[in-house]
Structures are given as structure tokens and as C-alpha cells.
Amino acid sequence: MNTQDVIAKIEKIESLPTIPPILKKILSVIEDPRVSLQKITDFVSSDPTLTARVLKMVNSPVYGFPGRISSVSHAMVILGLNAVKGLLLGVSVFEIMQKNMIGLWEHSLSTAIFARIIAMKRQLQAPEEISIGALLHDIGKVIFIMAFKDEYMKIINSAQEKASFLYEIERQYFGLTHAEVGGIIAKKWKFPQKLIEPIMYHHRPQLAEKFQVETAIVHISNILALARGVGYSGEIFVPSVHPFAWEILNFKSDEILEIFKEAEEPITTSGEIFLSDE
């Protein structure tokens, strides 16, 4: 398939009939560079379903806040504008993930949990933003499904039949991977660079320019989630951690075991929470 044709179709993704109406509204809001926290709060509060999903997410083990957050405005203040933009997209693609690729949401959630734990251990500011980057790291797969569903399902099957990594088969067929597609759509939707780089380079963290640590965290969190075996991302193998990520995060083997132990309860309970009443 011609790569330029793939990119052209992806860049028109908001006009596809399969995109949920709520996602269209969200995109119109977050694409506005002058949008305020209050405007987003008003927008979320006007939609009961969206409000419920946002509150469920911010009160979930993914974030680990000790208290219960009962209002959208409180959630917005705690998370900040950039994290909220990513969160809105994350909760809005939940339905698409559930309908089109069973298990992708669970994999994304567990990756977000690992990312938050690692970010806190490295004492980074705004671990919630890094967690959102992890939650959205595979959004390119959702975009592939929305634009090329039949072809993409065949590619997933082909990766398993050939015992190859999914991103390798994606590149052979489309000329680009889900990570690159995620980066394209994140740029188009004017996401902050702090989210764009971890999405675009989560398989090649050494290529990140401004947010190398954040990208390395999402890279290794994705691998830890695959190793833990939560959900389904389309991959049947666990890739190796890139040496750049090991070096920049300076992990010791004991720390990885601690991270696994710390993530176990949130991963278990988050799955129960999100799948219980959706």
C-alpha cells in the first residue's frame, strides 16, 4: 500500500463515519490552542457519560490518588490542561478499543499504571501526564482499525502466523508503524510534545529529542505490561528493552521486581473497575 495514501487517509480520520460523535466534539475542543480549563470543564460536565468516564478514570488505581474525586472541576485542577486533553481522548477511544480490538484497553491501562509508578520512583514532575502518554501509546492501532479495519485484522493475524513483531508487519504493508501513525494523529490534534514523543517513539526511545526520559518510561512500561500479560496488544512476543532506555532510567534489577509488585494490585483492580459496568 502506498504510504502517502495511508497518511492522507489517516489525516482525514475525523471525517470517517465510524468515529463516535463525542470524539468529534472532543477534538473540536482540544484542537483550540486558546481553550481554557474552565471551558473543558464545562464541556465535560455537559455530557453525563463523559463525566462518568473521566471521574472513573481519575479515581482509578491508574492515578493512585488517595482520596475520592467527586467533581469534574476538581479532576481538571489536579491533572492540568495537558493531561486532561490526553485523558479525554483516552476515555473516548475506550469504546472503539473494546469493540474493535478486545484486550487493547486493558493493555493500555496496565502500561499507564507502570508508567505512573516509574515516573514517581524517578521523582518526575506531572507523573499523570506520563501516565496519559502511556495510556495513549497504542492509539495508532485504533487509528489503523478505524481507517483500514479489514487490512489491519489481516496484519495482526499475519504477525502471529509469521511469528513477527506487529510493527514490523505494519511497516511492510503500510510503510509506517502504529507508533508513527499515533505520532501523526497526535500532532494533527495538537497534542503537547510531551505526549507526542512517547507515542511516536515508544518502540524507538533513542529517537526522542526533548522528552527522552518520558519516552523511555513509556517504552519500558509497554514492555513490562506485555511481560505481565495483561490484555492483548496484538503482539505475541515481549520485545527487548532498548539499551538507551536502560541507560537513561538507570534501573537496577531489584527495582524492576519492586515495580512489578507495586503494579500488581492497581492492575488487578483497574481491570475489575473498568470492565464492571461499561
Side-chain angles (χ1 to χ4, degrees), residues 254-273:
D254 289 350
E255 281 187 285
I256 297 295
L257 293 177
E258 289 176 10
I259 291 167
F260 264 113
K261 290 178 181 177
E262 199 169 326
E264 191 57 35
E265 182 178 352
I267 285 174
T268 303
T269 53
S270 66
E272 295 170 353
I273 290 171

Side-chain angles (χ1 to χ4, degrees), residues 42-140:
D42 293 342
F43 169 76
V44 174
S45 300
S46 67
D47 187 304
T49 301
L50 191 58
T51 297
R53 287 182 178 175
V54 168
L55 291 179
K56 180 182 285 188
M57 176 64 85
V58 298
N59 284 299
S60 76
V62 174
Y63 289 100
F65 289 121
R68 301 293 293 176
I69 300 172
S70 59
S71 70
V72 173
S73 59
H74 189 192
M76 299 296 149
V77 170
I78 286 179
L79 295 179
L81 188 58
N82 287 337
V84 166
K85 286 182 176 180
L87 174 61
L88 285 175
L89 188 58
V91 297
S92 66
V93 300
F94 170 86
E95 187 174 348
I96 301 173
M97 285 187 178
Q98 289 297 99
K99 285 184 176 178
N100 294 286
M101 193 167 174
I102 296 172
L104 183 58
W105 177 252
E106 290 85 342
H107 166 73
S108 300
L109 272 181
S110 61
T111 304
I113 289 169
F114 277 118
R116 180 181 60 81
I117 291 172
I118 295 171
M120 293 181 70
K121 284 186 177 297
R122 287 296 175 267
Q123 299 182 327
L124 300 183
Q125 292 183 340
E128 295 79 18
E129 285 188 29
I130 299 174
S131 182
I132 289 295
L135 183 71
L136 297 174
H137 76 284
D138 271 347
I139 192 170

Side-chain angles (χ1 to χ4, degrees), residues 193 197 201 204-213 215 244:
Q193 197 70 12
E197 288 196 0
Y201 301 124
R204 298 186 293 175
Q206 73 279 11
L207 298 183
E209 296 178 357
K210 293 183 179 179
F211 298 100
Q212 296 177 331
V213 173
T215 303
F244 176 82

